[in-house]
PDB file of all heavy atoms in Angstrom:
ATOM      1  N   ALA A   1      14.032   2.932   6.229  1.00 97.00           N
ATOM      2  CA  ALA A   1      13.694   2.733   7.626  1.00 97.00           C
ATOM      3  C   ALA A   1      12.499   3.536   8.015  1.00 97.00           C
ATOM      4  O   ALA A   1      11.597   3.044   8.776  1.00 97.00           O
ATOM      5  CB  ALA A   1      14.901   3.092   8.490  1.00 97.00           C
ATOM      6  N   GLU A   2      12.382   4.756   7.549  1.00 97.00           N
ATOM      7  CA  GLU A   2      11.220   5.583   7.864  1.00 97.00           C
ATOM      8  C   GLU A   2       9.949   4.980   7.305  1.00 97.00           C
ATOM      9  O   GLU A   2       8.891   4.970   7.981  1.00 97.00           O
ATOM     10  CB  GLU A   2      11.393   6.984   7.316  1.00 97.00           C
ATOM     11  CG  GLU A   2      12.460   7.790   8.110  1.00 97.00           C
ATOM     12  CD  GLU A   2      12.771   9.103   7.406  1.00 97.00           C
ATOM     13  OE1 GLU A   2      12.042   9.480   6.456  1.00 97.00           O
ATOM     14  OE2 GLU A   2      13.740   9.758   7.824  1.00 97.00           O
ATOM     15  N   GLU A   3       9.973   4.460   6.109  1.00 97.00           N
ATOM     16  CA  GLU A   3       8.810   3.770   5.541  1.00 97.00           C
ATOM     17  C   GLU A   3       8.424   2.564   6.347  1.00 97.00           C
ATOM     18  O   GLU A   3       7.260   2.303   6.615  1.00 97.00           O
ATOM     19  CB  GLU A   3       9.084   3.418   4.080  1.00 97.00           C
ATOM     20  CG  GLU A   3       9.164   4.626   3.133  1.00 97.00           C
ATOM     21  CD  GLU A   3       9.461   4.171   1.708  1.00 97.00           C
ATOM     22  OE1 GLU A   3       9.187   3.028   1.353  1.00 97.00           O
ATOM     23  OE2 GLU A   3       9.992   5.024   0.956  1.00 97.00           O
ATOM     24  N   TRP A   4       9.442   1.760   6.721  1.00 97.00           N
ATOM     25  CA  TRP A   4       9.192   0.605   7.568  1.00 97.00           C
ATOM     26  C   TRP A   4       8.589   1.022   8.890  1.00 97.00           C
ATOM     27  O   TRP A   4       7.673   0.329   9.433  1.00 97.00           O
ATOM     28  CB  TRP A   4      10.514  -0.159   7.758  1.00 97.00           C
ATOM     29  CG  TRP A   4      10.424  -1.131   8.878  1.00 97.00           C
ATOM     30  CD1 TRP A   4       9.806  -2.354   8.880  1.00 97.00           C
ATOM     31  CD2 TRP A   4      10.961  -0.976  10.194  1.00 97.00           C
ATOM     32  NE1 TRP A   4       9.923  -2.963  10.106  1.00 97.00           N
ATOM     33  CE2 TRP A   4      10.629  -2.155  10.933  1.00 97.00           C
ATOM     34  CE3 TRP A   4      11.688   0.012  10.836  1.00 97.00           C
ATOM     35  CZ2 TRP A   4      11.021  -2.307  12.264  1.00 97.00           C
ATOM     36  CZ3 TRP A   4      12.100  -0.116  12.145  1.00 97.00           C
ATOM     37  CH2 TRP A   4      11.715  -1.291  12.834  1.00 97.00           C
ATOM     38  N   GLY A   5       9.048   2.127   9.453  1.00 95.00           N
ATOM     39  CA  GLY A   5       8.539   2.598  10.720  1.00 95.00           C
ATOM     40  C   GLY A   5       7.110   2.995  10.693  1.00 95.00           C
ATOM     41  O   GLY A   5       6.413   3.043  11.737  1.00 95.00           O
ATOM     42  N   ARG A   6       6.560   3.210   9.506  1.00 93.00           N
ATOM     43  CA  ARG A   6       5.121   3.558   9.348  1.00 93.00           C
ATOM     44  C   ARG A   6       4.325   2.315   8.959  1.00 93.00           C
ATOM     45  O   ARG A   6       3.152   2.442   8.545  1.00 93.00           O
ATOM     46  CB  ARG A   6       4.945   4.644   8.279  1.00 93.00           C
ATOM     47  CG  ARG A   6       5.619   5.961   8.701  1.00 93.00           C
ATOM     48  CD  ARG A   6       5.154   7.112   7.755  1.00 93.00           C
ATOM     49  NE  ARG A   6       5.588   6.861   6.382  1.00 93.00           N
ATOM     50  CZ  ARG A   6       6.713   7.281   5.839  1.00 93.00           C
ATOM     51  NH1 ARG A   6       7.609   7.912   6.635  1.00 93.00           N
ATOM     52  NH2 ARG A   6       7.002   7.062   4.581  1.00 93.00           N
ATOM     53  N   HIS A   7       4.871   1.118   9.094  1.00 89.00           N
ATOM     54  CA  HIS A   7       4.236  -0.116   8.702  1.00 89.00           C
ATOM     55  C   HIS A   7       2.847  -0.238   9.371  1.00 89.00           C
ATOM     56  O   HIS A   7       2.754  -0.277  10.580  1.00 89.00           O
ATOM     57  CB  HIS A   7       5.123  -1.285   9.126  1.00 89.00           C
ATOM     58  CG  HIS A   7       4.719  -2.607   8.573  1.00 89.00           C
ATOM     59  ND1 HIS A   7       5.473  -3.751   8.717  1.00 89.00           N
ATOM     60  CD2 HIS A   7       3.601  -3.000   7.850  1.00 89.00           C
ATOM     61  CE1 HIS A   7       4.936  -4.774   8.113  1.00 89.00           C
ATOM     62  NE2 HIS A   7       3.770  -4.354   7.611  1.00 89.00           N
ATOM     63  N   PRO A   8       1.789  -0.305   8.589  1.00 90.00           N
ATOM     64  CA  PRO A   8       0.468  -0.413   9.207  1.00 90.00           C
ATOM     65  C   PRO A   8       0.144  -1.806   9.775  1.00 90.00           C
ATOM     66  O   PRO A   8       0.676  -2.797   9.261  1.00 90.00           O
ATOM     67  CB  PRO A   8      -0.484  -0.088   7.999  1.00 90.00           C
ATOM     68  CG  PRO A   8       0.299  -0.542   6.814  1.00 90.00           C
ATOM     69  CD  PRO A   8       1.711  -0.279   7.137  1.00 90.00           C
ATOM     70  N   SER A   9      -0.649  -1.830  10.780  1.00 94.00           N
ATOM     71  CA  SER A   9      -1.057  -3.086  11.363  1.00 94.00           C
ATOM     72  C   SER A   9      -2.584  -3.225  11.181  1.00 94.00           C
ATOM     73  O   SER A   9      -3.288  -2.296  10.979  1.00 94.00           O
ATOM     74  CB  SER A   9      -0.718  -3.178  12.848  1.00 94.00           C
ATOM     75  OG  SER A   9      -1.392  -2.187  13.590  1.00 94.00           O
ATOM     76  N   VAL A  10      -3.046  -4.473  11.299  1.00 96.00           N
ATOM     77  CA  VAL A  10      -4.450  -4.780  11.153  1.00 96.00           C
ATOM     78  C   VAL A  10      -4.937  -5.507  12.413  1.00 96.00           C
ATOM     79  O   VAL A  10      -4.428  -6.578  12.737  1.00 96.00           O
ATOM     80  CB  VAL A  10      -4.740  -5.664   9.916  1.00 96.00           C
ATOM     81  CG1 VAL A  10      -6.208  -5.944   9.798  1.00 96.00           C
ATOM     82  CG2 VAL A  10      -4.227  -4.947   8.668  1.00 96.00           C
ATOM     83  N   PRO A  11      -5.901  -4.957  13.151  1.00 98.00           N
ATOM     84  CA  PRO A  11      -6.455  -5.679  14.291  1.00 98.00           C
ATOM     85  C   PRO A  11      -7.130  -6.964  13.855  1.00 98.00           C
ATOM     86  O   PRO A  11      -7.708  -7.039  12.760  1.00 98.00           O
ATOM     87  CB  PRO A  11      -7.459  -4.686  14.880  1.00 98.00           C
ATOM     88  CG  PRO A  11      -7.113  -3.350  14.319  1.00 98.00           C
ATOM     89  CD  PRO A  11      -6.526  -3.606  12.961  1.00 98.00           C
ATOM     90  N   ASP A  12      -7.019  -7.993  14.688  1.00 98.00           N
ATOM     91  CA  ASP A  12      -7.667  -9.271  14.423  1.00 98.00           C
ATOM     92  C   ASP A  12      -9.078  -9.183  15.003  1.00 98.00           C
ATOM     93  O   ASP A  12      -9.284  -9.235  16.176  1.00 98.00           O
ATOM     94  CB  ASP A  12      -6.886 -10.397  15.067  1.00 98.00           C
ATOM     95  CG  ASP A  12      -7.428 -11.787  14.699  1.00 98.00           C
ATOM     96  OD1 ASP A  12      -8.677 -11.942  14.778  1.00 98.00           O
ATOM     97  OD2 ASP A  12      -6.616 -12.638  14.314  1.00 98.00           O
ATOM     98  N   ALA A  13     -10.093  -9.062  14.136  1.00 97.00           N
ATOM     99  CA  ALA A  13     -11.455  -8.835  14.563  1.00 97.00           C
ATOM    100  C   ALA A  13     -11.969  -9.994  15.412  1.00 97.00           C
ATOM    101  O   ALA A  13     -12.688  -9.801  16.394  1.00 97.00           O
ATOM    102  CB  ALA A  13     -12.356  -8.635  13.366  1.00 97.00           C
ATOM    103  N   GLY A  14     -11.601 -11.199  15.037  1.00 97.00           N
ATOM    104  CA  GLY A  14     -12.026 -12.392  15.808  1.00 97.00           C
ATOM    105  C   GLY A  14     -11.497 -12.422  17.210  1.00 97.00           C
ATOM    106  O   GLY A  14     -12.213 -12.707  18.151  1.00 97.00           O
ATOM    107  N   MET A  15     -10.226 -12.007  17.346  1.00 98.00           N
ATOM    108  CA  MET A  15      -9.637 -11.988  18.642  1.00 98.00           C
ATOM    109  C   MET A  15     -10.189 -10.861  19.509  1.00 98.00           C
ATOM    110  O   MET A  15     -10.377 -11.014  20.732  1.00 98.00           O
ATOM    111  CB  MET A  15      -8.101 -11.866  18.512  1.00 98.00           C
ATOM    112  CG  MET A  15      -7.426 -13.135  18.045  1.00 98.00           C
ATOM    113  SD  MET A  15      -7.679 -14.479  19.229  1.00 98.00           S
ATOM    114  CE  MET A  15      -6.899 -13.837  20.685  1.00 98.00           C
ATOM    115  N   LEU A  16     -10.489  -9.734  18.880  1.00 98.00           N
ATOM    116  CA  LEU A  16     -11.072  -8.640  19.661  1.00 98.00           C
ATOM    117  C   LEU A  16     -12.472  -9.044  20.157  1.00 98.00           C
ATOM    118  O   LEU A  16     -12.899  -8.698  21.267  1.00 98.00           O
ATOM    119  CB  LEU A  16     -11.138  -7.365  18.832  1.00 98.00           C
ATOM    120  CG  LEU A  16      -9.790  -6.762  18.424  1.00 98.00           C
ATOM    121  CD1 LEU A  16     -10.011  -5.457  17.747  1.00 98.00           C
ATOM    122  CD2 LEU A  16      -8.843  -6.585  19.600  1.00 98.00           C
ATOM    123  N   ALA A  17     -13.236  -9.786  19.280  1.00 97.00           N
ATOM    124  CA  ALA A  17     -14.525 -10.273  19.696  1.00 97.00           C
ATOM    125  C   ALA A  17     -14.405 -11.243  20.845  1.00 97.00           C
ATOM    126  O   ALA A  17     -15.240 -11.267  21.770  1.00 97.00           O
ATOM    127  CB  ALA A  17     -15.207 -10.900  18.497  1.00 97.00           C
ATOM    128  N   LEU A  18     -13.357 -12.068  20.836  1.00 97.00           N
ATOM    129  CA  LEU A  18     -13.121 -12.992  21.926  1.00 97.00           C
ATOM    130  C   LEU A  18     -12.857 -12.195  23.216  1.00 97.00           C
ATOM    131  O   LEU A  18     -13.378 -12.579  24.287  1.00 97.00           O
ATOM    132  CB  LEU A  18     -11.935 -13.899  21.640  1.00 97.00           C
ATOM    133  CG  LEU A  18     -11.447 -14.824  22.739  1.00 97.00           C
ATOM    134  CD1 LEU A  18     -12.600 -15.692  23.271  1.00 97.00           C
ATOM    135  CD2 LEU A  18     -10.256 -15.658  22.299  1.00 97.00           C
ATOM    136  N   GLY A  19     -12.064 -11.153  23.139  1.00 97.00           N
ATOM    137  CA  GLY A  19     -11.830 -10.312  24.294  1.00 97.00           C
ATOM    138  C   GLY A  19     -13.109  -9.748  24.834  1.00 97.00           C
ATOM    139  O   GLY A  19     -13.346  -9.699  26.087  1.00 97.00           O
ATOM    140  N   ASP A  20     -13.968  -9.277  23.936  1.00 97.00           N
ATOM    141  CA  ASP A  20     -15.235  -8.723  24.373  1.00 97.00           C
ATOM    142  C   ASP A  20     -16.114  -9.807  25.045  1.00 97.00           C
ATOM    143  O   ASP A  20     -16.819  -9.555  26.038  1.00 97.00           O
ATOM    144  CB  ASP A  20     -15.997  -8.133  23.181  1.00 97.00           C
ATOM    145  CG  ASP A  20     -15.358  -6.877  22.610  1.00 97.00           C
ATOM    146  OD1 ASP A  20     -14.517  -6.291  23.334  1.00 97.00           O
ATOM    147  OD2 ASP A  20     -15.637  -6.554  21.453  1.00 97.00           O
ATOM    148  N   GLU A  21     -16.052 -11.015  24.487  1.00 97.00           N
ATOM    149  CA  GLU A  21     -16.851 -12.096  25.056  1.00 97.00           C
ATOM    150  C   GLU A  21     -16.326 -12.434  26.501  1.00 97.00           C
ATOM    151  O   GLU A  21     -17.156 -12.648  27.421  1.00 97.00           O
ATOM    152  CB  GLU A  21     -16.728 -13.329  24.192  1.00 97.00           C
ATOM    153  CG  GLU A  21     -17.566 -14.525  24.655  1.00 97.00           C
ATOM    154  CD  GLU A  21     -17.493 -15.711  23.719  1.00 97.00           C
ATOM    155  OE1 GLU A  21     -16.912 -15.634  22.638  1.00 97.00           O
ATOM    156  OE2 GLU A  21     -17.988 -16.782  24.144  1.00 97.00           O
ATOM    157  N   LEU A  22     -15.032 -12.468  26.675  1.00 97.00           N
ATOM    158  CA  LEU A  22     -14.470 -12.704  27.990  1.00 97.00           C
ATOM    159  C   LEU A  22     -14.932 -11.618  28.987  1.00 97.00           C
ATOM    160  O   LEU A  22     -15.375 -11.962  30.125  1.00 97.00           O
ATOM    161  CB  LEU A  22     -12.956 -12.716  27.933  1.00 97.00           C
ATOM    162  CG  LEU A  22     -12.310 -13.946  27.241  1.00 97.00           C
ATOM    163  CD1 LEU A  22     -10.842 -13.655  26.970  1.00 97.00           C
ATOM    164  CD2 LEU A  22     -12.469 -15.168  28.118  1.00 97.00           C
ATOM    165  N   ARG A  23     -14.896 -10.384  28.567  1.00 97.00           N
ATOM    166  CA  ARG A  23     -15.285  -9.292  29.466  1.00 97.00           C
ATOM    167  C   ARG A  23     -16.762  -9.391  29.818  1.00 97.00           C
ATOM    168  O   ARG A  23     -17.162  -9.082  30.929  1.00 97.00           O
ATOM    169  CB  ARG A  23     -14.978  -7.962  28.837  1.00 97.00           C
ATOM    170  CG  ARG A  23     -13.444  -7.721  28.641  1.00 97.00           C
ATOM    171  CD  ARG A  23     -13.182  -6.514  27.753  1.00 97.00           C
ATOM    172  NE  ARG A  23     -13.237  -5.280  28.563  1.00 97.00           N
ATOM    173  CZ  ARG A  23     -13.247  -4.067  28.000  1.00 97.00           C
ATOM    174  NH1 ARG A  23     -13.227  -3.925  26.691  1.00 97.00           N
ATOM    175  NH2 ARG A  23     -13.311  -3.006  28.764  1.00 97.00           N
ATOM    176  N   SER A  24     -17.622  -9.821  28.848  1.00 96.00           N
ATOM    177  CA  SER A  24     -19.032  -9.969  29.106  1.00 96.00           C
ATOM    178  C   SER A  24     -19.277 -11.061  30.153  1.00 96.00           C
ATOM    179  O   SER A  24     -20.362 -11.055  30.787  1.00 96.00           O
ATOM    180  CB  SER A  24     -19.780 -10.276  27.822  1.00 96.00           C
ATOM    181  OG  SER A  24     -19.557 -11.583  27.385  1.00 96.00           O
ATOM    182  N   ARG A  25     -18.344 -11.976  30.312  1.00 95.00           N
ATOM    183  CA  ARG A  25     -18.457 -13.057  31.277  1.00 95.00           C
ATOM    184  C   ARG A  25     -17.746 -12.744  32.590  1.00 95.00           C
ATOM    185  O   ARG A  25     -17.588 -13.590  33.437  1.00 95.00           O
ATOM    186  CB  ARG A  25     -17.942 -14.362  30.670  1.00 95.00           C
ATOM    187  CG  ARG A  25     -18.717 -14.800  29.458  1.00 95.00           C
ATOM    188  CD  ARG A  25     -18.203 -16.098  28.905  1.00 95.00           C
ATOM    189  NE  ARG A  25     -18.898 -16.500  27.690  1.00 95.00           N
ATOM    190  CZ  ARG A  25     -20.071 -17.130  27.606  1.00 95.00           C
ATOM    191  NH1 ARG A  25     -20.678 -17.409  28.734  1.00 95.00           N
ATOM    192  NH2 ARG A  25     -20.622 -17.458  26.476  1.00 95.00           N
ATOM    193  N   GLY A  26     -17.344 -11.453  32.726  1.00 96.00           N
ATOM    194  CA  GLY A  26     -16.706 -11.067  33.982  1.00 96.00           C
ATOM    195  C   GLY A  26     -15.240 -11.364  34.094  1.00 96.00           C
ATOM    196  O   GLY A  26     -14.633 -11.200  35.170  1.00 96.00           O
ATOM    197  N   ILE A  27     -14.605 -11.766  32.975  1.00 97.00           N
ATOM    198  CA  ILE A  27     -13.157 -12.029  32.967  1.00 97.00           C
ATOM    199  C   ILE A  27     -12.424 -10.774  32.531  1.00 97.00           C
ATOM    200  O   ILE A  27     -12.749 -10.183  31.492  1.00 97.00           O
ATOM    201  CB  ILE A  27     -12.813 -13.191  31.978  1.00 97.00           C
ATOM    202  CG1 ILE A  27     -13.632 -14.458  32.292  1.00 97.00           C
ATOM    203  CG2 ILE A  27     -11.338 -13.479  32.026  1.00 97.00           C
ATOM    204  CD1 ILE A  27     -13.375 -15.021  33.630  1.00 97.00           C
ATOM    205  N   ARG A  28     -11.489 -10.322  33.299  1.00 98.00           N
ATOM    206  CA  ARG A  28     -10.717  -9.126  32.946  1.00 98.00           C
ATOM    207  C   ARG A  28      -9.703  -9.497  31.824  1.00 98.00           C
ATOM    208  O   ARG A  28      -9.248 -10.650  31.740  1.00 98.00           O
ATOM    209  CB  ARG A  28      -9.965  -8.587  34.139  1.00 98.00           C
ATOM    210  CG  ARG A  28     -10.915  -8.084  35.205  1.00 98.00           C
ATOM    211  CD  ARG A  28     -10.251  -8.055  36.583  1.00 98.00           C
ATOM    212  NE  ARG A  28      -9.231  -7.067  36.694  1.00 98.00           N
ATOM    213  CZ  ARG A  28      -8.412  -6.933  37.754  1.00 98.00           C
ATOM    214  NH1 ARG A  28      -8.522  -7.758  38.768  1.00 98.00           N
ATOM    215  NH2 ARG A  28      -7.511  -5.971  37.766  1.00 98.00           N
TER     216      ARG A  28
END
């Protein structure tokens, strides 16, 4: 359980870029 609790995650670069694009267009 402790090992599972340290399960690493990976950010989705494409989705983060989409978020940045939205913000650049004035969308929160």
Side-chain angles (χ1 to χ4, degrees):
E2 288 171 11
E3 291 179 22
W4 164 76
R6 296 192 297 271
H7 191 172
S9 64
V10 178
D12 187 312
M15 286 299 298
L16 296 185
L18 173 56
D20 292 341
E21 184 178 351
L22 288 166
R23 295 170 82 190
S24 75
R25 297 180 183 279
I27 306 296
R28 295 157 70 187

